[in-house]
Amino acid sequence: MDDVKLFQEKSGAVFRLLGDYKVGALATSVHDHPSVRSVSCIFINGEIFFQTDRMMAKAGQIRQNNDVAICFDNIQISGVCEDIGHPFSPANSDVYSLFQKSYPKAAAKYSGMANECFFKITPYFIQSWAYYDGEPHIEVIDYKKKQYRLQKYI
């Protein structure tokens, strides 16, 4: 299998493992001050979406530095994050539909608020732990190089 096909297969496998939705720990950093918090995420076509109020600290931090990281169990993802608009925006109908299905109480309570928005994370690097024959390995998916690497840990 060539490198690009392996990269595509492995990156797809990560998102199949994550499913349609999952709560993750989102890390942001501004002026060398890191911050982390839980966010309710959905996944569409290899991208990560979450909803928040534009006035929340995380939104302001992302506006200042859109390079973020998010962790789901043993999967760490680095990516570029952007505000894609209000949940009821016609451009976000597919995102809102899955968010509402995945987090119905949050969608009902917050989505209609004026300052609510969806953020989209476009991954550029994924790292996870895997065990093959009982041995620990680090799996790396590098989107910039379109490359998958498997490194034995010890």
Side-chain angles (χ1 to χ4, degrees):
M1 181 177 300
D2 71 36
D3 288 346
V4 173
K5 284 185 181 179
L6 183 60
F7 160 81
Q8 291 169 337
E9 177 187 311
K10 294 297 185 175
S11 58
V14 167
F15 284 96
R16 284 190 298 278
L17 179 65
L18 290 172
D20 287 337
Y21 65 98
K22 194 170 190 70
V23 173
L26 175 70
T28 57
S29 180
V30 175
H31 306 299
D32 295 326
H33 180 78
S35 182
V36 67
R37 81 287 289 154
S38 295
V39 289
S40 300
C41 299
I42 58 170
F43 310 104
I44 300 174
N45 297 327
E47 294 177 311
I48 304 159
F49 300 84
F50 64 91
Q51 180 178 309
T52 193
D53 187 305
R54 284 191 175 99
M55 304 308 291
M56 297 295 286
K58 65 180 156 266
Q61 292 163 348
I62 292 166
R63 282 191 295 275
Q64 292 180 66
N65 178 3
N66 67 350
D67 195 17
V68 302
I70 191 161
C71 186
F72 304 96
D73 301 319
N74 72 327
I75 300 169
Q76 302 122 45
I77 301 172
S78 298
V80 175
C81 191
E82 65 179 306
D83 179 338
I84 61 166
H86 194 273
F88 293 163
S89 166
N92 290 332
S93 62
D94 290 345
V95 177
Y96 179 72
S97 178
L98 182 56
F99 189 84
Q100 184 181 40
K101 177 182 169 190
S102 304
Y103 304 103
K105 290 180 182 177
K109 188 169 187 171
Y110 301 112
S111 294
M113 295 176 148
N115 284 329
E116 286 295 296
C117 64
F118 279 124
F119 278 93
K120 174 177 75 170
I121 302 171
T122 303
Y124 61 78
F125 187 85
I126 298 175
Q127 181 175 302
S128 63
W129 287 91
Y131 286 83
Y132 294 97
D133 298 322
E135 297 293 324
H137 291 75
I138 299 172
E139 290 186 297
V140 174
I141 301 169
D142 187 328
Y143 282 70
K144 292 177 180 179
K145 295 179 181 177
K146 300 274 189 244
Q147 185 180 65
Y148 168 80
R149 294 187 312 272
L150 180 65
Q151 303 163 328
K152 191 170 181 181
Y153 180 63
I154 52 175

